[in-house]
Amino acid sequence: MLTESQIAEYRSEGFLLLDGVFDADEIAALRNEVTDLYATDHPGRIFEEDGTTVRGIHGCHTTGALFSRLVRLPELLSAAEELLDSKVHVFQCKVNAKQALRGEVWQWHQDYSVWEHKDGMPQPRAVNAAVFLDDATEHNGPLLVVPGSHRNDAIAPWRPGPEGAAQWENDLSAKLEFALDADQMAEVTADSEIRSVVGRAGSLLFFHPCIAHGSGANMSPADRTMAFVSYNSVDNELREVPRPRPEFVASRDYRPLEFVDGGLIA
Amino acid sequence: MLTESQIAEYRSEGFLLLDGVFDADEIAALRNEVTDLYATDHPGRIFEEDGTTVRGIHGCHTTGALFSRLVRLPELLSAAEELLDSKVHVFQCKVNAKQALRGEVWQWHQDYSVWEHKDGMPQPRAVNAAVFLDDATEHNGPLLVVPGSHRNDAIAPWRPGPEGAAQWENDLSAKLEFALDADQMAEVTADSEIRSVVGRAGSLLFFHPCIAHGSGANMSPADRTMAFVSYNSVDNELREVPRPRPEFVASRDYRPLEFVDGGLIA
């Protein structure tokens, strides 16, 4: 699926943005399914601090029919296999809602910092694929990245949080316990910069589990919905951990994913 | 102080940005005074939701020697008199801290919406002058404006908040009771756009009390400190209101301001 220069760009920058991968009908269909999932009671549905605005939906490849197809499309799956040189499984699948004027911050973090410590992931042999379900603009809380920061050895030090069965929810809120602090961000940006990943609905973004990323509040009257699929190599099985996070946040189903034919809307 | 074309730009756009008004020594001196004010216990010192990060300092023209001079400098005072065609007094003087990674959102609002309803200001015969004490970049929570929105008749409807002596603090937090909602912002931006007011430390910005403005979270490891002076025409005395806000938030000292000579650092 990917050209050699695209793969080289991903390895160098830690992310790769492809425009126009999904058409308006496909995006509209996914948005409809997202609307249904927002209205469905499920433990993977997370709210903003106001307690009423949906912040995210987790595990949607198991609860949404279209998302179940999405994760198996060659556009995502084949590219993930190429980038990881391996068969893969879906480790996470989620929707970040980032609703108009209400969507809150995702603090700066590196995914692998969490996955290693919370989920026992042995190596960062994983890749995120993000589908833009709305235009992402400078002002609706676009994903922010620091290009090249996945090559930085300084994975954020682990700061254990409060104990308890609901602890996994702390990792999905606007106050992350594994956030990068100002000193770490100053170091990470010393030889790089903060970049807004803006793009049209239908764009597809791949980004590395070690890249420093986050997003600001949505300051616009337009939603910035984004779907994320985190693929993990089937050779990178999670270690046993004392309190594993729920299956819909960190899946231990390592069966290799198989493609579906015929596009998103069969 | 201002040229005819600058005044015309202000009247048309609702804001006017001037680069390089203050030099590095002047900005450093103001930053030093700000650091002192952050450490000084005063009811005008407001914290972010975390309760420890300073969000703002109010009334600093009465508590800071340099700020007392700043508000009387021709660069600010004479321009304000020109824009309002009147002698003026300081209605508000404050510092917005917007500290690195911790500075939170200011929701979209129109100043005059508050000043009219809370403070009894008869007309929007006022102007804000903002001094950039740090570089304001796309990612450290720059002021956001909707150009031309001061000409919109739709001042946000008033939604009364909870009663109580500390009510004025609600107007200075990350959750504004008079915030513009998504429908209002969609209307305001229909014929315009959201614009980030980025600029170097030492810049001076004038903006209209009716312009829609706000700012996102600071997502960078650099502070975005900004000082605001709100000048009101001395002919625009506040009406009596049931529960006036403190003098350091809404001053009723209508004595016309007189210039100081010799610059900020005498």
Side-chain angles (χ1 to χ4, degrees):
Chain A
M1 292 301 296
L2 301 177
T3 66
E4 279 189 27
S5 76
Q6 287 173 331
I7 293 173
E9 181 179 335
Y10 176 84
R11 302 231 186 282
S12 167
E13 299 294 297
F15 70 102
L16 174 69
L17 179 63
L18 307 175
D19 181 51
V21 175
F22 296 98
D23 67 26
D25 289 343
E26 291 169 321
I27 295 300
L30 283 167
R31 289 284 325 244
N32 278 343
E33 187 160 286
V34 166
T35 301
D36 290 343
L37 292 172
Y38 284 176
T40 305
D41 188 21
H42 182 275
R45 186 179 58 171
I46 305 293
F47 293 93
E48 302 283 10
E49 304 260 321
D50 65 13
T52 57
T53 303
V54 173
R55 174 172 175 82
I57 303 285
H58 296 262
C60 32
H61 63 306
T62 64
T63 54
L66 272 181
F67 278 98
S68 170
R69 285 188 71 83
L70 178 72
V71 302
R72 298 162 201 265
L73 292 178
E75 288 82 353
L76 279 75
L77 178 53
S78 180
E81 289 181 352
E82 285 171 11
L83 291 171
L84 297 174
D85 194 22
S86 167
K87 296 294 280 182
V88 299
H89 72 109
V90 174
F91 169 67
Q92 289 187 346
C93 178
K94 65 198 177 204
V95 171
N96 279 183
K98 191 74 78 173
Q99 295 194 43
L101 297 188
R102 296 180 187 278
E104 293 173 1
V105 164
W106 280 90
Q107 294 180 298
W108 287 98
H109 65 282
Q110 298 165 293
D111 287 340
Y112 184 63
S113 173
V114 195
W115 299 350
E116 179 183 18
H117 292 282
K118 290 244 159 165
D119 304 319
M121 187 182 282
Q123 298 290 331
R125 291 195 61 192
V127 60
N128 296 298
V131 179
F132 289 36
L133 302 186
D134 289 304
D135 294 345
T137 69
E138 197 61 71
H139 295 119
N140 68 355
L143 197 75
L144 307 176
V145 298
V146 179
S149 58
H150 65 301
R151 292 184 267 106
N152 195 316
D153 289 337
I155 291 281
W158 180 243
R159 286 168 293 190
E163 306 290 324
Q167 190 183 352
W168 60 272
E169 292 175 329
N170 296 343
D171 308 321
L172 310 175
S173 78
K175 303 279 169 57
L176 301 180
E177 58 177 340
F178 50 86
L180 296 164
D181 66 23
D183 288 342
Q184 292 169 316
M185 279 303 294
E187 187 182 328
V188 164
T189 55
D191 300 318
S192 187
E193 59 176 0
I194 296 172
R195 183 93 54 87
S196 302
V197 186
V198 299
R200 297 185 303 168
S203 298
L204 175 61
L205 172 75
F206 294 97
F207 64 100
H208 195 281
C210 293
I211 197 170
H213 65 288
S215 58
N218 186 340
M219 294 297 293
S220 97
D223 296 334
R224 191 237 61 183
T225 321
M226 204 174 278
F228 292 79
V229 185
S230 303
Y231 296 99
N232 180 38
S233 166
V234 293
D235 303 325
N236 198 33
E237 291 194 11
L238 309 182
R239 285 190 285 259
E240 293 295 312
V241 292
R243 293 182 305 280
R245 300 200 291 174
E247 178 70 16
F248 58 79
V249 176
S251 174
R252 292 168 184 264
D253 179 348
Y254 305 110
R255 287 173 293 175
L257 269 188
E258 301 299 336
F259 296 106
V260 288
D261 291 322
L264 185 63
I265 305 172
Chain B
M1 294 299 296
L2 300 177
T3 66
E4 279 189 28
S5 76
Q6 287 173 331
I7 292 174
E9 181 179 336
Y10 175 85
R11 302 230 187 283
S12 167
E13 299 295 297
F15 70 103
L16 174 68
L17 179 63
L18 307 175
D19 180 51
V21 174
F22 296 97
D23 67 26
D25 289 344
E26 292 169 321
I27 294 301
L30 283 167
R31 288 285 323 245
N32 279 342
E33 188 160 284
V34 166
T35 301
D36 291 343
L37 292 172
Y38 284 176
T40 305
D41 188 20
H42 181 273
R45 186 178 58 168
I46 305 293
F47 294 93
E48 301 283 10
E49 303 260 320
D50 65 13
T52 57
T53 303
V54 173
R55 175 173 173 84
I57 303 285
H58 297 261
C60 31
H61 64 306
T62 65
T63 53
L66 271 181
F67 278 97
S68 170
R69 286 187 70 83
L70 178 71
V71 302
R72 297 161 201 269
L73 291 178
E75 287 83 353
L76 280 75
L77 177 53
S78 178
E81 288 182 353
E82 286 171 12
L83 291 171
L84 297 174
D85 194 22
S86 167
K87 297 293 280 182
V88 299
H89 73 109
V90 174
F91 169 65
Q92 288 186 348
C93 178
K94 66 196 177 205
V95 171
N96 279 184
K98 191 73 78 174
Q99 296 194 43
L101 296 188
R102 296 180 186 277
E104 294 173 0
V105 163
W106 280 90
Q107 294 180 298
W108 286 98
H109 65 282
Q110 298 165 293
D111 287 340
Y112 184 63
S113 173
V114 194
W115 298 349
E116 179 182 18
H117 292 283
K118 290 242 158 167
D119 305 318
M121 187 182 281
Q123 298 290 331
R125 290 197 60 193
V127 60
N128 295 299
V131 179
F132 289 36
L133 303 186
D134 290 303
D135 294 344
T137 69
E138 197 61 72
H139 295 119
N140 67 356
L143 198 75
L144 307 176
V145 298
V146 179
S149 57
H150 65 300
R151 292 184 267 106
N152 195 316
D153 289 336
I155 290 283
W158 180 242
R159 286 168 293 188
E163 305 291 323
Q167 189 183 353
W168 60 271
E169 292 174 328
N170 296 342
D171 308 323
L172 311 175
S173 78
K175 302 279 170 58
L176 302 180
E177 59 178 338
F178 50 86
L180 296 165
D181 65 23
D183 288 343
Q184 291 169 316
M185 279 302 296
E187 187 182 330
V188 165
T189 56
D191 300 318
S192 187
E193 60 176 359
I194 296 171
R195 182 94 54 88
S196 302
V197 186
V198 299
R200 297 185 303 168
S203 299
L204 175 60
L205 171 75
F206 294 97
F207 64 99
H208 194 281
C210 293
I211 197 170
H213 65 289
S215 58
N218 186 338
M219 293 299 293
S220 97
D223 295 335
R224 193 238 59 185
T225 321
M226 204 174 277
F228 293 80
V229 185
S230 303
Y231 295 100
N232 179 38
S233 165
V234 293
D235 303 326
N236 199 34
E237 291 194 13
L238 309 183
R239 286 189 285 259
E240 292 296 313
V241 292
R243 291 180 307 279
R245 299 200 292 175
E247 178 71 15
F248 57 80
V249 176
S251 175
R252 290 169 185 262
D253 179 348
Y254 306 110
R255 287 173 294 176
L257 269 188
E258 301 299 336
F259 297 106
V260 288
D261 292 323
L264 185 62
I265 305 172

